[in-house]
């Protein structure tokens, strides 16, 4: 029958004695051995409680995965794959940007489709993607905040699909056989899927049906 070394109490079981030391005696009173025994006893008792450590780690992992999914699928930062498309969907561009916030460049733009010049100062065109966007209500000056921003990717963030010979906007595709189609940067025709925008570039896109 264990007897307390620090008072007159006695106990039938070792566990009850250790619980007594834990609750009735200050840690400073106990010998080093008793402190260790009490610590082990208290640790055993808490094994049945909810493991907060693993829960916290699990929560952090879930949050990290969520952020990665958002970045890859919604912001499209990372390597792209698959064929180039002219649907205007960011998900279908041949190359997506990388290195977000490693550059900050600007340029100008002029887009006329179906005889209408698009106004990128409208809210629907502002801050549509982190890598390429318009901001502060300015529809003439574009901002580039990542590397590898192709003309195809930039236009896809605005819902405009471009190839070197066609433009798709709001479900209508204009190509060279329909009439006037121009996809150019600084006055030169370019392949939108491979041309990476540079600081000071002027984008000009014209698509008018016959």
């Amino acid at each position: 029958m264990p007897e307390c070394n620090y008072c007159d109490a006695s106990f039938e079981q070792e566990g009850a004695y250790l619980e007594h030391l834990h609750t009735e005696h200050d840690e400073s009173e106990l010998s080093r051995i008793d402190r260790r025994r009490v610590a082990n006893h208290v640790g055993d008792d808490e094994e049945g409680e909810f493991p907060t450590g693993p829960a916290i780690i699990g929560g952090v992992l879930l949050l990290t995965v969520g952020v990665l999914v958002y970045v890859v699928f919604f912001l499209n930062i990372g390597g792209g794959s698959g064929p180039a498309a002219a649907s205007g969907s960011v998900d279908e561009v041949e190359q997506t940007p990388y290195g977000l916030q490693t550059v900050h460049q600007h340029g100008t733009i002029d887009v006329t489709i179906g005889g209408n010049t698009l106004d990128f100062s409208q809210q629907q065109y502002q801050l549509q993607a982190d890598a390429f966007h318009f901001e502060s209500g300015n529809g003439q000056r574009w901002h580039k905040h990542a590397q590898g921003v192709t003309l195809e990717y930039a236009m896809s963030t605005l819902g405009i699909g471009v190839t070197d010979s066609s433009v798709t906007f709001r479900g209508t595709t204009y190509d060279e056989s329909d009439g006037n189609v121009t996809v150019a940067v600084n006055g030169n025709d370019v392949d939108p899927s491979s041309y990476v925008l540079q600081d000071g570039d002027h984008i000009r896109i014209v698509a008018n049906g016959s």
Side-chain angles (χ1 to χ4, degrees):
M1 179 179 293
E3 294 184 353
C4 181
N5 295 327
Y6 309 97
C7 67
D8 296 329
S10 60
F11 306 88
E12 293 185 359
Q13 296 181 347
E14 179 74 3
Y17 172 49
L18 294 175
E19 186 65 23
H20 166 78
L21 293 180
H22 175 58
T23 58
E24 300 298 328
H25 294 282
D26 188 81
E27 184 177 353
S28 62
E29 296 180 53
L30 307 182
S31 67
R32 183 173 60 182
I33 293 175
D34 283 340
R35 286 199 297 269
R36 186 181 308 148
R37 291 170 64 199
V38 169
N40 290 337
H41 170 71
V42 172
D44 290 342
D45 286 346
E46 292 178 349
E47 285 181 357
E49 296 180 3
F50 187 79
T52 56
I56 293 174
I57 293 173
V60 171
L61 288 175
L62 286 174
L63 179 61
T64 302
V65 171
V67 170
L68 288 175
V69 169
Y70 177 81
V71 168
V72 172
F73 291 101
F74 290 90
L75 300 184
N76 280 274
I77 302 304
S81 61
S87 67
S89 171
V90 175
D91 295 329
E92 297 178 353
V93 299
E94 186 168 335
Q95 176 179 317
T96 50
Y98 59 93
L100 185 63
Q101 301 301 344
T102 58
V103 297
H104 187 187
Q105 298 176 344
H106 308 93
T108 54
I109 189 169
D110 179 17
V111 176
T112 300
I113 300 178
N116 298 314
T117 298
L118 301 189
D119 181 5
F120 296 119
S121 68
Q122 296 179 5
Q123 188 61 41
Q124 68 198 69
Y125 297 116
Q126 295 282 303
L127 296 172
Q128 292 302 299
D130 284 356
F132 176 91
H133 59 251
F134 298 93
E135 60 184 55
S136 302
N138 188 323
Q140 290 294 317
R141 186 174 188 241
W142 52 257
H143 296 248
K144 170 186 167 183
H145 289 278
Q147 300 181 52
V149 177
T150 63
L151 177 59
E152 180 190 39
Y153 172 84
M155 293 302 94
S156 71
T157 67
L158 305 171
I160 303 170
V162 289
T163 71
D164 56 358
S165 61
S166 68
V167 176
T168 299
F169 183 63
R170 295 181 178 174
T172 299
T173 297
Y174 305 82
D175 59 36
E176 291 179 342
S177 64
D178 295 328
N180 181 24
V181 172
T182 300
V183 180
V185 176
N186 301 326
N188 300 312
D189 294 340
V190 297
D191 179 355
S193 66
S194 61
Y195 183 83
V196 176
L197 292 176
Q198 304 297 317
D199 194 31
D201 276 354
H202 175 67
I203 301 167
R204 182 171 181 264
I205 296 175
V206 178
N208 292 318
S210 56

